[in-house]
Amino acid sequence: LRAGGGAGGSRSGDVQLARLKFEELEARRPSEKQRNSALASVVRVIFRREGHMAAGEYVKEKVMDCGREMPSAVVTALLDSCLAERDTGRASRIWKSLRATNQFEMTTSLYQSVMKLAARRNDGYLALQLLWDFENLHLNPVMLRLLDMSVLAERNEAQMTRSVFHQAMQACAREPNTSDETFEIFSRMRGLDLPANNASLSILINACAAKGEVAKAKQVWRTFRAENPGVVPNLFNLSSLIKVYATYAELEQKNKLRPKPLIDPNPHLRAPPVDEARELIKIMAFMPKDSLF
């Protein structure tokens, strides 16, 4: 358990030990924050070892039957556990049910989990609504800029905040109707002085792939590299770029894109998309083997 000093139960996955450690912690009358963090850890162990029904019963016993408010940490644990098993449907039902019947604080960690759910569902409209709430009701730009990156807890807060924006971008990037919003969200993230990374680049390229916009993807690539020289493209980024060409080809086959002019006035200035894609695949062979793909 992260809170209370008994990490053995959580790390070993031993449900009985995790329950025992939590009972020991309760006997010491911990703070509400400690109790909630420990309870969330036990819920994760039970969910992983015994399933969602057992985890739900334990939450009912320790929260609802005691007349306590639902802790944000427990809601986060339930959502993360569902998403770890790729059970998006159950995560959606849990979120809707708890949101409708309980009052709990929306923490950065919980926003991150719900935004991840929106990204898994490709639900850009939910992501935009959540992001509006996050920016206007939760986020404090001044305090965010004052975070000390040498302190682990404050660095984690900044990373979670960036993750919220990334998940919102990803939710919008995959659908043509919301892909353009991805760039606006990225602009707002950078406006908060949150640094971009390889994930930022891939998501922006994915937004171009939603409509097969090859020219836009190349422009985004060049601009991003110029503005973020410390971010070195990896295999993951190159595979996202190749996906743009693949989507372009699929849309062209379905006649959803207008064909190129039969006469190219400058044939020597640009190669056909298929040739560019081949060159990208060749480049991938020289990337470090430990790069993300």
Side-chain angles (χ1 to χ4, degrees), residues 47-211:
F47 197 110
R48 185 170 63 251
R49 294 293 181 176
E50 297 183 351
H52 67 278
M53 293 295 291
E57 286 297 324
Y58 193 73
V59 171
K60 181 176 181 297
E61 174 190 344
K62 294 298 182 182
V63 179
M64 301 172 185
D65 292 348
C66 298
R68 293 176 175 270
E69 291 186 0
M70 180 65 67
S72 301
V74 172
V75 181
T76 302
L78 291 170
L79 292 179
D80 287 347
S81 297
C82 289
L83 294 174
E85 297 184 356
R86 300 187 180 278
D87 195 343
T88 306
R90 176 165 287 113
S92 297
R93 293 191 294 273
I94 288 175
W95 169 246
K96 290 177 181 178
S97 175
L98 292 178
R99 189 65 168 163
T101 58
N102 294 270
Q103 295 290 331
F104 44 81
E105 179 189 2
M106 288 295 295
T107 62
T108 304
S109 179
L110 182 51
Y111 270 112
Q112 180 184 20
S113 297
V114 184
M115 200 69 81
K116 187 184 299 182
L117 172 60
R120 292 281 181 89
R121 291 172 50 185
N122 296 335
D123 192 339
Y125 296 109
L126 173 60
L128 291 171
Q129 178 185 352
L130 288 168
L131 189 62
W132 189 94
D133 291 343
F134 179 71
E135 290 181 288
N136 292 277
L137 304 179
H138 177 78
L139 185 63
N140 185 330
V142 175
M143 292 302 298
L144 180 63
R145 291 186 174 92
L146 292 176
L147 291 177
D148 185 352
M149 294 299 105
S150 65
V151 178
L152 179 60
E154 297 189 18
R155 185 166 69 249
N156 287 341
E157 181 70 18
Q159 289 175 342
M160 283 193 295
T161 301
R162 180 175 65 181
S163 179
V164 170
F165 280 92
H166 274 171
Q167 296 294 345
M169 290 166 60
Q170 188 74 329
C172 294
R174 292 169 176 164
E175 293 295 329
N177 291 337
T178 56
S179 60
D180 290 341
E181 297 287 347
T182 306
F183 301 95
E184 173 61 26
I185 296 172
F186 178 70
S187 177
R188 284 166 16 210
M189 184 192 87
R190 296 295 288 123
L192 293 169
D193 295 331
L194 292 169
N197 60 7
N198 290 95
S200 309
L201 176 57
S202 283
I203 296 170
L204 293 173
I205 297 299
N206 288 341
C208 300
K211 299 178 183 178

Side-chain angles (χ1 to χ4, degrees), residues 1 6-19 21 41-51:
L1 301 178
S10 181
R11 290 177 182 172
S12 68
D14 187 327
V15 174
Q16 294 304 320
L17 181 56
R19 290 173 183 262
K21 291 294 184 182
S41 295
V42 179
V43 168
R44 292 176 191 273
V45 175
I46 296 174
F47 197 110
R48 185 170 63 251
R49 294 293 181 176
E50 297 183 351

Side-chain angles (χ1 to χ4, degrees), residues 29-38 68-69 71:
R29 298 182 179 276
S31 68
E32 195 69 15
K33 183 177 181 180
Q34 282 182 313
R35 184 185 188 276
N36 293 341
S37 179
R68 293 176 175 270
E69 291 186 0

